[in-house]
Amino acid sequence: MSWVRAALGIALSMLASCAQPDPAPPRENAKGAPSPTPAPPPAAPRRAPELDLKADPVRRELLRAPLKDLAPVGWGRPGYLRVTLDRHDPPGSAPAFVKLALDDAPQAHRRPLAFERLARALGMRVVPATALRRISTGELGAMLEGQPDLQAYFKAHTAVQNDGTVDALVTAPFRGDGPGAWKSTLGREISVLDSHELKRWERWAASPDPAPDESPELLRDYVEMLVLDYLSGNVLRRSVTVDDEGGALLLTDNDTAFPLKVDPRAEARILKHLRAVMRFPRSLREVLLRLDRPRARALFLPEGFDTWIVPPRTLIDLDERRAGLLTLIEARIAERGEANVLCL
């Protein structure tokens, strides 16, 4: 019977080949010669989303204002410096923070930059404005004049580019896009693993209705932190800064965002906190829908390999988490209604 099956197979193959339409004859030009098939138009290159520096004065100053008075934050955080910006608009001095690229991890500064871009794309306010600029080694040496220990350390450890510059991540001291971003606040760091403040925020977030002692500002900040950490795979956050005077949270230590690999158990812990949330920021669903893969690629993988701030694989993980979060929000809306869910 094997020869029968073989014959049937040959017959079916012949029928399939006969069913294929003949290829279209080549088009001819005016002289009767075949015209070449037109090539498809080239794809438009992806470009980095441009900052409107006229409408974004905080990032304009972070990118352009002269730096002075560098001082280490602490030797426990190598490469981090306190700095003073000599602002032009409004004129005057303002504090800021700088993270220099070091030779043992020359791309590490891109992870907090990606975290800030994600927060900006989602309209979230808990992350201070951040900009990436390049500082020449001569400029860096002049700013460290009179500090021989720091000069020697950075001379030995900074990741110097071929053009003699060093990547520097410059961050505003506080959040927001207006004058309040230059507010110098000491704040206080609290643990996100086990603290009475965290337990209170969790209780507020799990309540379908506002609690008597609830702070709407702090609750929204807490939910924003959960969303950003989940989307970026930032499972190693240990603390958050609380500004008691303004009643606000501040996410300043974001070095562990967008890791190459995420422990599924640690990711499940963040997702567990998110699943308990009953109320979300009003615009969250809309901005998540807009953050599709093309938008994410333009945001994190702009034109030119040297401008990429996350590995391409990261965008797949980001999109999967985005879809999961949208599903969770839609389920909450189906249970309780949009007005009761998107209300922060």
Side-chain angles (χ1 to χ4, degrees), residues 54-104:
K54 291 184 178 179
D56 198 341
V58 174
R59 288 178 179 83
R60 179 175 68 238
E61 297 297 336
L62 294 174
L63 284 169
R64 297 178 177 177
L67 308 176
K68 60 182 182 181
D69 302 332
L70 273 69
V73 172
W75 289 110
R77 300 183 70 185
Y80 275 95
L81 299 165
R82 290 186 179 89
V83 68
T84 299
L85 294 180
D86 189 9
R87 292 182 311 179
H88 298 286
D89 183 20
S93 298
F97 294 93
V98 168
K99 178 180 173 63
L100 296 176
L102 302 181
D103 54 7
D104 60 343

Side-chain angles (χ1 to χ4, degrees), residues 75 140-157:
W75 289 110
L140 181 60
M143 288 187 288
L144 294 172
E145 187 175 359
Q147 303 182 73
D149 290 344
L150 283 180
Q151 282 184 329
Y153 176 81
F154 286 119
K155 182 178 180 180
H157 295 288

Side-chain angles (χ1 to χ4, degrees), residues 179-246:
W182 304 114
K183 171 184 174 182
S184 181
T185 177
L186 294 176
R188 59 186 178 93
E189 286 195 1
I190 67 166
S191 171
V192 298
L193 301 178
D194 186 20
S195 65
H196 69 274
E197 289 98 338
L198 182 73
K199 295 184 185 302
R200 184 167 65 245
W201 303 336
E202 290 175 347
R203 174 170 55 83
W204 293 348
S207 174
D209 301 304
D213 62 338
E214 180 176 299
S215 166
E217 299 295 318
L218 278 174
L219 174 57
R220 172 168 172 156
D221 291 352
Y222 168 69
V223 175
E224 287 188 1
M225 178 186 72
L226 290 179
V227 169
L228 289 171
D229 282 348
Y230 174 65
L231 291 176
S232 66
N234 191 13
V235 298
L236 297 180
R237 181 179 301 283
R238 294 294 179 264
S239 63
V240 62
T241 301
V242 180
D243 175 35
D244 290 316
E245 181 183 351

Side-chain angles (χ1 to χ4, degrees), residues 138-335:
E139 182 185 1
L140 181 60
M143 288 187 288
L144 294 172
E145 187 175 359
Q147 303 182 73
D149 290 344
L150 283 180
Q151 282 184 329
Y153 176 81
F154 286 119
K155 182 178 180 180
H157 295 288
T158 49
V160 181
Q161 305 286 338
N162 292 334
D163 60 357
T165 61
V166 177
D167 281 351
L169 201 64
V170 189
T171 303
F174 202 67
R175 61 192 216 174
D177 296 323
W182 304 114
K183 171 184 174 182
S184 181
T185 177
L186 294 176
R188 59 186 178 93
E189 286 195 1
I190 67 166
S191 171
V192 298
L193 301 178
D194 186 20
S195 65
H196 69 274
E197 289 98 338
L198 182 73
K199 295 184 185 302
R200 184 167 65 245
W201 303 336
E202 290 175 347
R203 174 170 55 83
W204 293 348
S207 174
D209 301 304
D213 62 338
E214 180 176 299
S215 166
E217 299 295 318
L218 278 174
L219 174 57
R220 172 168 172 156
D221 291 352
Y222 168 69
V223 175
E224 287 188 1
M225 178 186 72
L226 290 179
V227 169
L228 289 171
D229 282 348
Y230 174 65
L231 291 176
S232 66
N234 191 13
V235 298
L236 297 180
R237 181 179 301 283
R238 294 294 179 264
S239 63
V240 62
T241 301
V242 180
D243 175 35
D244 290 316
E245 181 183 351
L249 299 187
L250 200 63
L251 304 184
T252 56
D253 187 1
N254 305 308
D255 292 356
T256 53
F258 293 103
L260 293 177
K261 187 176 181 180
V262 177
D263 183 346
R265 294 170 298 179
E267 183 178 6
R269 285 196 294 269
I270 298 182
L271 187 56
K272 178 182 177 182
H273 290 300
L274 266 176
R275 284 174 175 160
V277 174
M278 302 298 291
R279 291 169 288 156
F280 293 90
R282 290 183 176 88
S283 62
L284 181 57
R285 179 175 61 171
E286 179 183 349
V287 294
L288 285 173
L289 287 171
R290 287 204 301 263
L291 189 64
D292 54 11
R293 286 198 182 184
R295 169 62 178 156
R297 291 187 68 86
L299 196 64
F300 299 111
L301 303 178
E303 183 183 11
F305 175 78
D306 58 334
T307 64
W308 291 6
I309 57 175
V310 297
R313 168 67 198 178
T314 303
L315 298 191
I316 300 175
D317 299 330
L318 172 62
D319 196 57
E320 290 176 352
R321 297 187 188 112
R322 178 186 74 98
L325 183 55
L326 278 169
T327 300
L328 173 62
I329 294 172
E330 294 293 353
R332 285 281 180 267
I333 292 174
E335 292 170 1

